[in-house]
Amino acid sequence: MSILELKNICYTYGVGTPFEKKAVNDVSFSVNKGELIGIIGHTGSGKSTLVQMLNGLMKPTSGQVLLDGVDIWDKPKEIRKIRFKVGMVFQYPEYQLFEETVYKDIAFGPTNKGLSAEEIDKEVRRAAKFTGIKDELLYKSPFDLSGGEKRRAAIAGVIAMDPDVLVLDEPTAGLDPMGRDVLLSQIVRYHKERQNTVLLVSHSMEDIARVADRIVVMSKSKLVMFDETQKVFARGDELEKIGLRIPQITKIMSQLRKRGVDVPEGILTVDSAV
Ligand code: ADP
């Protein structure tokens, strides 16, 4: 059953101004409970705009976002509640850390959700564990953490709200390869253990191949493909036409096989293997 359904979503910036720009154009797809969906596309294809409409941060110019079958804008006064159900990790989330300790930062969401001190503590520690934040870091200032640790602390703050859907916009951007690997593995572990729904925006085909069940491909504000991961990568020629090269096809195939995805020989058509 689908937890999230987008129906003919459009978003236009600067309506009625000379800068009017249709960033998302008639996008429809639905996500099943427990799926991990990858969203790929060129810079400027509309990915960030699209995901910001999923938790009510931005209101579609037209179209509907249904969460558990209910339009999230049915009761505009209650839109804040949606933000606890659909957790959003923005690009470079570490810039949103602001409390004096990491603990307080992670506790911010659960505190605003009205949980008891005991429940808050449980959520903070669970989120810290998922993101590999050790106990001793919890009492440090977020500003004393390394870049990777800051990123993980910020993600922990969203996970601590125990959202039904977790949306991550380029979570590995700017991290070194080791930091990327660690973070991606943590996201996968979180998804497996919590069995909840995750949407991951990334420009890294490799990252997406490693984790996604299905992929949404955006191009020029439109959804141009939505299919199982191996089927999308099998359409390498079409991906290339919209400027999405698959640079390390051999690696991607082995990532998919490692996950037990059946990838017959020759299914991936663009062979620019390194
Ligand atoms: P992506 O996440 O795929 O890089 P975005 O959703 O950020 O794409 O952007 C889609 C389009 O909307 C781009 O053409 C971008 O320039 C434009 N855009 C994004 N944010 C704004 C904004 N605040 N005002 C006007 N145009 C914007």
Side-chain angles (χ1 to χ4, degrees), residues 47-48 51-52 89-92 167-171 199 201:
K47 305 181 298 298
S48 293
V51 294
Q52 287 182 65
V89 176
F90 294 98
Q91 290 179 23
Y92 296 94
V167 183
L168 301 130
D169 193 354
E170 297 280 4
L199 278 82
V201 174

Side-chain angles (χ1 to χ4, degrees), residues 7 12 24 37 43 50 70 76 97 106 108 112 122 136 143 164 167 189 209 233 236 242 248 256 263 271:
K7 283 187 172 173
T12 307
V24 172
I37 300 287
T43 304
L50 178 71
V70 180
L97 296 169
I106 302 177
F108 183 79
N112 276 286
K122 207 174 110 205
E136 65 257 32
F143 304 103
D164 298 331
V167 183
R189 194 163 59 91
F233 283 121
I242 56 169
Q248 294 185 309
L256 287 169
V263 189
D271 203 355

Side-chain angles (χ1 to χ4, degrees), residues 84 96-113 117 120-125 127-128 133-143 145 150 152-161:
F84 292 110
Q96 289 155 42
L97 296 169
F98 63 95
E99 292 281 5
E100 63 209 79
T101 65
V102 173
Y103 187 101
K104 280 193 184 168
D105 240 310
I106 302 177
F108 183 79
T111 306
N112 276 286
K113 212 174 165 183
I120 293 170
D121 189 66
K122 207 174 110 205
E123 293 294 352
V124 169
R125 290 181 193 281
I133 301 282
K134 295 199 186 92
D135 268 3
E136 65 257 32
L137 289 188
L138 287 175
Y139 302 100
K140 279 193 170 182
S141 157
F143 304 103
L145 306 186
K150 273 188 201 157
R152 286 188 271 129
I155 295 176
V158 178
I159 286 179
M161 293 195 295

